[in-house]
Amino acid sequence: MEFRAFLTSLGTSFVIFVVLMFLFTWLSRKPANYVVYYPNRILKGLDPFEGSKRTRNPFTWIREALSSTEADVIRMSGVDSAVYFVFMSTVLGILVLSGLVLLPVLLPVTATDHSLHLIVNETSQGAFNDLDKLSMGHIGANSPRLWAFVIAIYLVSIVAYCLLWKAYNHVSDLRAAALESPEVKAEQFAIVVRDIPPPPDGQTRKEQVDSYFKAIYPETFYRSMVVTNNKKVNKIYEELEGYKKKLARAEAIFAESKKNGNPEGTRPTNRIGFLGLIGKKVDSIEYYNEKINELIPKLEAEQKVTLREKQQPSALVFFTSRVTAASASQSLHAQMVDTWTVLDAPEPRQLIWTNLPKKYYEREIRQYFVYIIVFLTIFFYMIPIGFVSAFTTLENLEKLLPFTKPIVKQKVVSTVLEAYLPQLALIIFLALLPKFLLFLSKTEGIPSESHVTRAASGKYFYFTVLNVFIGVTVGSSLFGTFKQIEKDPNSIVPLLATSLPKSATFFLTFVALKFFVGYGLELSQIVPLIIFHLKKKYLCKTEAEVKEAWAPGDLGYATRFPSDMLIVTLVFCYSVIAPIIIPFGVVYFGLGWLLLRNQVLKVYVPSFESYGRMWPHIFIRIMGALVLYQVTMFGFLGVKKFPYTVLLIPLPIISIIFCVVCDKKFYRSFQSTALEVACKELKEVPNMESVFRSFIPPSLSAEKSEDDQFEDALSQVSRTGSTL
C-alpha cells in the first residue's frame, strides 16, 4: 500500500468518526430519540441525562464516561460488563507501557538502518515504502541492531504477565463480591441435574429425584422440578401470544379510527388464508377473540399432558441454603460419571431447556462432531479469505475484471479503493460467521446461554486468528509472489519473512477502520435509530409494539470479544516487527473503553449475568496471542539469521507455566462458587416459592395463581416432609 493511500484511509476514517460523533450529539438531544440513546436508563426508571443539562456539547458523553466508576457499571449492566472493561484496560495498559519504550527505541533503530534498503533498491526497484522503513523488515540480516528487538520482545511479555496477574486477581474479587451479595439470587439456590437413570418400578421420575436428594440433603432439600418436553406446549403458547398481540393491534387500529371524524369507527378486517392475502374476510377483533378462546383451554390441557407424561431425564433441584446448592453443584453424586451429573444452575433466563435432557455420551459425541465441523469451517474459509486478501489489490482486480481498468486508473478512485477495498471485504466476510458458530455451540448440548456465548466466542477467536492474521499474511505473500515460488520453492521462507512486516500496513488500516468507523457507528446508533423510526411510523400500533421496536440488545460478547482479541493478536505480533501499530492499538482500546463505557451505562441491557465467568476464557486467549507473538518473533529473527535467536526459546515455556499457575490458583473459583463466599448472610430470608417459580417456563405457568390444577406437576412437591 502506498503511503498516500494509507493516509487517505486514516484521514477519511477519522473524518467519518467526527461526523458521526457530532451526529450523535445532535440526535441524542431530541426527546423522540431518547429510547434509542438511553434505553438502559429508561428501563431502570432513571433520568436519561443523569440530572445534567439537556443542552449538551459533543464531548459531554466523554466526561460522563470518564467520571463513571466500576460500581456504576456493575449497577447498570452487571459484573460481566465490568469484566469486559477490565479486559480493555489491561490490554490498554500493556500497550501503553510497552509503547513508551518500544516507540522511542525501535523506530530510530529501524529508520537509521540502510543496509537492506540499499540491497533491495538494487534488486527490486525500491520495494520498501515510507512505512516499511519503520518496520523490522528494514533491518539487515545478522545485524547487531536486532538485540534491541530481542530485549523488546521480553519487555512486552513481562509487562503482559504482570498486568494479567493483577487483572485476574481483580476479576476474582469482583466475582466473589457479586456472589456473596446479601441480595437473593434464584440461581444460587438451585442446581441442574442431568443423566437421571430410569426410575425404579412403581416410582415416578419426580418421586425418584425427590427421594434421591432428600436422602443426601435431608435438612435443606426444598423441592424438584422435572424437565419436560415442551415442544408442543411452546407452539400453542406462542400461537396464543401471537393472537393476543394481533388483538391488541386490531383494537388500537379500531380506537384510532374513531378519532378520524367517525364516532363509530371502522372495525379492522383481515383474510384468514395464506399470509392474510387470500381466503375469507373476517372481523379481526372477533376472529382473534375466538382464536384466543379456543387456544386457552387447549393450552391448559396440553400443560397437564406435558407435565405428567412428557418428563425427561433431567431436573432442577432447589435447596433452602445457597451453601448446600454450591456444595452440591461441585460434588460427585454417583459412582458412575454418566449418571446423576450435577452442575450449578444458571439464571432462569439463560436455561436452554431442550439441551438439558441430552445424555452424557450424546453430549460428548456432539461436542467432537462440532469440533470437526469448526475445524473444516476454519480450514475451508482460509481458502476464500486468502483469495480475498490476494485479489482485492488493484493490480489483481484489473486482471480479473478488465472492464474496471478505466475506473481504477482514476487517481482518486484508485486511492480510495486501495485504502478501503481489502479491509471492507474482510470485515463483510467475517460478519457472515457468528450466527453459524452460535448454532454449532448450542448443538453441543450446552445448558446455558452464557456458556454458549463463551463457546461461540472461542470458536470465532480461533477462526479470526487462523484465517485473518495467518490467512491474510500468508495469502498476500503466496499469491503475490506465486510465480517466484513456483520457480524456486525454497524461497518461500525468506519471502514470508519479508512479507510479514509488509502486511503491517494492511493491518494498520484494518485497525483504523475498526476503531474510527466501527466505533463511530456504535456511538451514533444511526442504524438502530433509522430502523426504530421506520417501525414506529409504519408498523407499530400499540405501546407494546413501540417498546419492542426500541428494545435494546446486549453488548454482544460472542462477537465483540473475538473481534477485540483479533486486534490484540495483531498488535502483539506486530508490536516489535512494526512498532508504529502500537499507537493504533492504544487508540482502539482507549477509544473503545471510553465509548463502550457510555453504551453500557445508557444503551445496552445485558441478556444474562454470569458473574465474570468469561474472564478465564479471555485470559487464556490473551495468553494464546502472546505465545503466537513470541513464536512469530522467534521465527522472524531466525530468518534474519540472528545467532542469539535461541534466547527467545524460554519465553513460550514461561508463558505456558504462567498459564498453568494462574489456572491452578484462580480457575476453580470461576468454575464453581467458593463455599466461603456462599456462606455469607442474606439480608432477608429467601422466599423459596418465588425462587422456584422463577424457573418455570412461561408456557407452563398457570393463568391463575389460585388454580391448583398444576400444583403437583408445576411445583413437583413431595407430599411428605415438604415445607411451603
Side-chain angles (χ1 to χ4, degrees):
M1 177 183 292
E2 293 183 4
F3 189 63
R4 182 183 58 205
F6 171 73
L7 291 179
T8 300
S9 173
L10 189 62
T12 52
S13 296
F14 177 72
V15 170
I16 290 171
F17 175 78
V18 172
V19 170
L20 290 172
M21 185 175 71
F22 279 95
L23 191 64
F24 158 75
T25 305
W26 176 58
L27 291 172
S28 63
R29 293 173 180 172
K30 299 183 178 298
N33 298 336
Y34 288 173
V35 292
V36 174
Y37 292 104
Y38 309 99
N40 193 2
R41 296 188 61 81
I42 290 172
L43 289 173
K44 288 182 170 61
L46 302 174
D47 179 70
F49 294 106
E50 304 180 73
S52 61
K53 295 180 180 179
R54 293 171 188 264
T55 55
R56 298 148 65 83
N57 65 62
F59 306 103
T60 301
W61 67 273
I62 297 177
R63 175 180 57 78
E64 293 172 349
L66 287 172
S67 62
S68 65
T69 64
E70 190 170 65
D72 294 330
V73 173
I74 293 173
R75 177 171 54 87
M76 295 299 295
S77 290
V79 178
D80 288 334
S81 296
V83 169
Y84 177 74
F85 289 108
V86 173
F87 156 69
M88 296 285 279
S89 59
T90 300
V91 175
L92 182 62
I94 294 171
L95 297 181
V96 169
L97 293 177
S98 301
L100 289 175
V101 178
L102 268 59
L103 289 171
V105 173
L106 297 187
L107 291 183
V109 169
T110 56
T112 57
D113 188 273
H114 303 293
S115 57
L116 187 61
H117 179 64
L118 293 174
I119 297 171
V120 173
N121 275 339
E122 293 175 2
T123 57
S124 57
Q125 292 79 44
F128 284 93
N129 61 27
D130 294 333
L131 287 178
D132 292 327
K133 292 175 184 177
L134 300 177
S135 74
M136 190 176 170
H138 198 233
I139 303 294
N142 198 16
S143 171
R145 293 171 180 249
L146 293 173
W147 271 111
F149 295 90
V150 172
I151 296 171
I153 295 164
Y154 268 92
L155 174 69
V156 174
S157 300
I158 292 170
V159 170
Y161 299 148
C162 294
L163 293 187
L164 285 170
W165 179 270
K166 181 181 177 182
Y168 220 141
N169 260 310
H170 181 56
V171 174
S172 182
D173 291 340
L174 286 180
R175 175 173 169 82
L179 292 175
E180 68 185 19
S181 166
E183 302 290 335
V184 175
K185 298 180 176 70
E187 62 273 13
Q188 290 188 301
F189 295 88
I191 60 172
V192 174
V193 184
R194 309 171 86 178
D195 308 309
I196 301 174
D201 292 339
Q203 197 176 49
T204 65
R205 177 88 62 186
K206 188 265 173 194
E207 291 170 340
Q208 175 195 21
V209 174
D210 280 0
S211 61
Y212 184 86
F213 283 96
K214 192 175 292 184
I216 301 174
Y217 309 98
E219 301 296 326
T220 53
F221 172 77
Y222 179 64
R223 62 171 69 167
S224 64
M225 178 191 297
V226 176
V227 175
T228 54
N229 184 345
N230 300 338
K231 184 176 181 180
K232 189 172 181 180
V233 74
N234 283 344
K235 184 177 180 180
I236 298 172
Y237 176 78
E238 289 167 6
E239 188 178 1
L240 176 60
E241 291 299 305
Y243 279 121
K244 286 180 179 179
K245 289 181 180 179
K246 290 178 180 179
L247 176 61
R249 180 182 176 87
E251 289 175 341
I253 293 172
F254 181 49
E256 185 68 26
S257 69
K258 293 180 180 180
K259 300 176 183 178
N260 298 327
N262 182 7
E264 296 183 359
T266 303
R267 294 181 70 83
T269 60
N270 66 282
R271 296 185 182 275
I272 60 175
F274 178 72
L275 296 177
L277 301 175
I278 58 174
K280 180 183 176 183
K281 183 180 285 189
V282 296
D283 182 288
S284 297
I285 295 176
E286 292 181 358
Y287 176 73
Y288 295 143
N289 270 315
E290 289 175 6
K291 298 300 291 184
I292 290 170
N293 291 333
E294 288 177 12
L295 287 171
I296 288 175
K298 187 177 178 181
L299 176 64
E300 292 174 350
E302 185 57 36
Q303 285 175 332
K304 293 178 181 179
V305 172
T306 299
L307 291 164
R308 293 174 182 172
E309 300 178 10
K310 298 182 179 180
Q311 296 182 351
Q312 303 289 303
S314 181
L316 290 164
V317 175
F318 299 85
F319 302 94
T320 56
S321 165
R322 63 180 184 178
V323 175
T324 306
S327 177
S329 68
Q330 48 195 289
S331 300
L332 183 66
H333 284 77
Q335 194 172 357
M336 299 299 172
V337 295
D338 59 342
T339 58
W340 296 104
T341 306
V342 174
L343 63 152
D344 56 326
E347 295 174 302
R349 58 180 171 171
Q350 286 196 53
L351 280 169
I352 303 175
W353 294 94
T354 53
N355 281 348
L356 296 183
K358 289 182 170 54
K359 291 287 190 178
Y360 179 84
Y361 291 110
E362 180 187 354
R363 298 195 302 271
E364 292 291 307
I365 293 171
R366 281 171 173 264
Q367 189 177 52
Y368 287 116
F369 182 69
V370 166
Y371 287 168
I372 293 170
I373 294 177
V374 170
F375 170 79
L376 294 175
T377 303
I378 291 172
F379 179 79
F380 286 110
Y381 251 66
M382 191 175 287
I383 296 173
I385 281 192
F387 276 92
V388 167
S389 65
F391 294 139
T392 49
T393 62
L394 295 185
E395 182 182 352
N396 288 324
L397 192 64
E398 290 179 18
K399 292 178 182 178
L400 287 173
L401 305 172
F403 62 86
T404 63
K405 282 186 180 181
I407 302 173
V408 172
K409 291 297 182 183
Q410 298 293 324
K411 203 65 178 176
V412 176
V413 175
S414 65
T415 301
V416 172
L417 286 178
E418 190 174 8
Y420 283 114
L421 184 61
Q423 291 80 10
L424 285 174
L426 185 58
I427 289 171
I428 293 170
F429 217 75
L430 292 176
L432 305 175
L433 192 67
K435 288 188 177 180
F436 176 63
L437 295 179
L438 282 168
F439 166 77
L440 287 180
S441 297
K442 285 188 178 181
T443 305
E444 289 183 46
I446 293 172
S448 68
E449 294 290 348
S450 61
H451 192 174
V452 164
T453 299
R454 294 196 297 274
S457 66
K459 296 176 179 68
Y460 196 46
F461 168 73
Y462 297 128
F463 178 88
T464 53
V465 169
L466 291 172
N467 283 296
V468 179
F469 173 65
I470 297 177
V472 168
T473 303
V474 172
S476 61
S477 61
L478 287 180
F479 288 97
T481 55
F482 184 77
K483 290 183 179 180
Q484 189 173 347
I485 293 173
E486 189 177 22
K487 293 177 183 178
D488 182 14
N490 294 327
S491 67
I492 186 170
V493 174
L495 283 172
L496 287 176
T498 55
S499 69
L500 199 59
K502 291 179 185 178
S503 299
T505 53
F506 171 86
F507 289 123
L508 282 173
T509 51
F510 178 76
V511 174
L513 193 64
K514 290 276 285 184
F515 66 67
F516 276 141
V517 179
Y519 283 149
L521 290 171
E522 175 71 59
L523 179 66
S524 68
Q525 291 286 294
I526 192 69
V527 175
L529 182 69
I530 293 171
I531 293 173
F532 164 68
H533 282 295
L534 288 174
K535 285 183 176 180
K536 184 179 179 182
K537 184 174 179 62
Y538 298 108
L539 300 177
C540 299
K541 299 297 181 182
T542 66
E543 286 299 318
E545 289 177 337
V546 173
K547 188 173 182 179
E548 187 177 342
W550 63 258
D554 60 13
L555 201 55
Y557 297 112
T559 54
R560 193 173 296 278
F561 272 123
S563 297
D564 291 341
M565 281 306 309
L566 172 61
I567 305 301
V568 172
T569 305
L570 293 176
V571 178
F572 274 8
C573 289
Y574 281 93
S575 60
V576 174
I577 292 176
I580 194 67
I581 202 173
I582 294 178
F584 288 80
V586 169
V587 174
Y588 178 88
F589 287 100
L591 185 61
W593 185 95
L594 194 66
L595 188 144
L596 292 172
R597 194 95 165 178
N598 177 80
Q599 302 303 85
V600 300
L601 290 171
K602 299 170 184 175
V603 180
Y604 293 123
V605 175
S607 59
F608 60 78
E609 176 61 84
S610 67
Y611 307 106
R613 288 192 70 171
M614 179 70 86
W615 175 255
H617 164 98
I618 299 169
F619 169 80
I620 199 68
R621 280 152 185 81
I622 294 176
M623 290 305 302
L626 192 66
V627 170
L628 180 61
Y629 151 71
Q630 293 162 348
V631 172
T632 300
M633 294 311 304
F634 177 82
F636 189 77
L637 284 170
V639 172
K640 286 288 183 182
K641 300 178 181 179
F642 188 57
Y644 299 101
T645 303
V646 293
L647 294 175
L648 297 181
I649 292 176
L651 271 181
I653 300 172
I654 293 171
S655 296
I656 294 171
I657 293 172
F658 180 73
C659 280
V660 172
V661 170
C662 288
D663 180 75
K664 295 294 184 184
K665 182 176 177 64
F666 298 110
Y667 181 69
R668 185 69 188 275
S669 65
F670 284 83
Q671 190 178 31
S672 306
T673 302
L675 298 185
E676 68 174 4
V677 171
C679 72
K680 300 295 182 181
E681 291 186 7
L682 297 168
K683 68 179 182 181
E684 61 182 21
V685 178
N687 183 334
M688 292 307 299
E689 184 65 18
S690 297
V691 168
F692 173 82
R693 288 192 170 273
S694 66
F695 280 90
I696 299 174
S699 60
L700 294 179
S701 297
E703 289 291 324
K704 299 178 181 179
S705 59
E706 69 270 19
D707 189 352
D708 64 352
Q709 63 177 325
F710 298 104
E711 173 69 17
D712 183 63
L714 266 184
S715 61
Q716 300 294 332
V717 181
S718 176
R719 299 303 183 189
T720 59
S722 64
T723 57
L724 291 175

